[in-house]
Amino acid sequence: MVILNSVKMLIVLVLLSAFSQFAHSFSSPEVIEIKVGTIPRPPFMATNDMSGAAAEVLAAMNRVQNQFEFILVSVPTKRRIQSLTDGWVDVFMWDNPAWGWKKDSLLLSLPLVANKDIFLALKQEQRDQTFFADLTDKRLVAVHGYYYRFADFITDESRLSKMFDISLVSNEELTIKMLLAKRADIAVVSTITLNWFLLRYPQYRDKVIISERIDSSHERFFLVPKSAPIQAREIDEILAAADQQGLLSVIYQRYGLEKADFAGLKRKVVP
């Protein structure tokens, strides 16, 4: 009788344990980790650590839901496409499908930010907008691996050096610093980086001429492979929720970025 009661008790305990585990898994689904790649590029991500707008936007997206956990991954510029195709990351942030990606395998989130690539020169007497008309007789500084319209979107350094007197550096802030050091006549820089630089160093605002000539205009998105564990539509919904709670405005303002109305935007398809 004692043995029989012990067996019954053991069976009850096993059933209770199984039910408890089932109930827990039903009520608390496992959080899906989403590895988000981006390149070191201020103000999106600092070159020496993981700080910047990317980390803060992802933190806001984690805060408004518990289905996904977005984890920032730093990716070298030259490994952007490989990181996604080889599965180092699940999605890529602050990028554009026209910049070397295989478009038919990607979906786009809402545009995170709009941007223009412009030209920058030091102020000098009698220097005006005509200074930017001809780039072939100027010392240029631009970012290695970036796609520029004025250079026919060529990224190969040897080909570029035959077309222009050009220095290629690792990030856009260096282009501004080289210009200020008079090591270049014209810097090619995005309005995003320029705004971020002048927000921190307003004393340089009156020392430069910003070109009215625009090299290119573009938007930056989350690039989402069709095989990713999250859909572009789900990212849009999370962005809209974070925006509605006022979490994104303070981040965009802190980094000199112009925030779109995520709740009112419509998602684009890859052209």
Side-chain angles (χ1 to χ4, degrees), residues 64 110 231-244:
V64 297
L110 294 171
Q231 299 179 26
R233 172 186 54 79
E234 292 173 308
I235 290 178
D236 293 347
E237 292 170 353
I238 296 169
L239 283 169
D243 197 18
Q244 288 172 340

Side-chain angles (χ1 to χ4, degrees), residues 176 180 197-198 200-209:
I176 302 174
L180 294 174
F197 186 86
L198 295 178
R200 290 173 297 143
Y201 308 108
Q203 66 270 26
Y204 294 115
R205 189 176 298 275
D206 294 331
K207 296 183 181 299
V208 296
I209 304 174

Side-chain angles (χ1 to χ4, degrees), residues 119-158:
F119 304 97
L120 198 65
L122 291 177
K123 279 187 178 179
Q124 290 186 11
E125 189 175 351
Q126 297 183 337
R127 180 175 288 181
D128 56 21
Q129 290 294 325
T130 60
F131 187 71
F132 302 106
D134 185 4
L135 303 178
T136 58
D137 61 346
K138 312 292 192 308
R139 295 176 302 156
L140 307 180
V141 59
V143 178
H144 182 76
Y146 279 23
Y147 293 83
Y148 298 108
R149 183 180 299 277
F150 78 89
D152 296 329
F153 303 106
I154 294 169
T155 59
D156 181 72
E157 187 170 0
S158 61

